[in-house]
Amino acid sequence: MLRQRKIILSIFILFFFGCANNVAEDSDQDCIEAESFYVETIAPILSQNCVGCHSGGSPSGDLRLDSFTSVRNSMGSTLDRVNRDQGSAGFMPQGGSKLTEEQLISLQAFFEMDCE
């Protein structure tokens, strides 16, 4: 009976820690994919339309959009601003044209990527 309990406990421990490791590995992979998508797709959009005002020592609105981390942390509010009607209050890019549908879809896809 004691031997069976040890075996069951051992299996439980292996299962539990095996799952925890898989979750961590999946999260790492998700972040690698998100970072790659950022570099290839998101950074060029932001560089062309946003970074001129939202970077440096005193970025407009105290919002930096020139690094993966800062963009991940502010993507919700950024999406709100770029999806507004051109000319409406708070529309971004200020004084510029509305982003293309493809660019908006890419930003939304990045926002929805899992990476923690």
Side-chain angles (χ1 to χ4, degrees):
M1 186 68 148
L2 182 60
R3 185 167 195 252
Q4 282 180 321
R5 286 185 180 170
K6 286 182 178 181
I7 291 172
I8 291 172
L9 181 61
S10 296
I11 291 171
F12 174 77
I13 290 171
L14 286 173
F15 177 77
F16 178 77
F17 286 107
C19 287
N21 286 338
N22 287 338
V23 169
E25 290 170 10
D26 288 346
S27 178
D28 290 345
Q29 184 62 36
D30 291 342
C31 287
I32 290 169
E33 290 174 15
E35 287 184 51
S36 177
F37 188 73
Y38 169 80
V39 168
E40 295 170 12
T41 306
I42 303 304
I45 295 170
L46 299 178
S47 178
Q48 181 181 12
N49 297 283
C50 310
V51 171
C53 296
H54 295 285
S55 63
S58 56
S60 182
D62 202 29
L63 174 65
R64 293 186 64 143
L65 295 174
D66 57 357
S67 73
F68 173 80
T69 303
S70 62
V71 171
R72 282 298 294 172
N73 292 335
S74 64
M75 187 50 71
S77 63
T78 301
L79 281 169
D80 172 55
R81 296 300 191 101
V82 298
N83 279 299
R84 294 181 186 188
D85 292 330
Q86 188 170 350
S88 66
F91 168 79
M92 292 291 159
Q94 188 175 33
S97 299
K98 188 163 181 75
L99 300 181
T100 67
E101 191 64 28
E102 182 180 333
Q103 291 171 324
L104 294 172
I105 289 170
S106 294
L107 293 174
Q108 184 67 42
F110 179 69
F111 177 67
E112 293 174 1
M113 290 181 158
D114 288 330
C115 176
E116 299 182 32

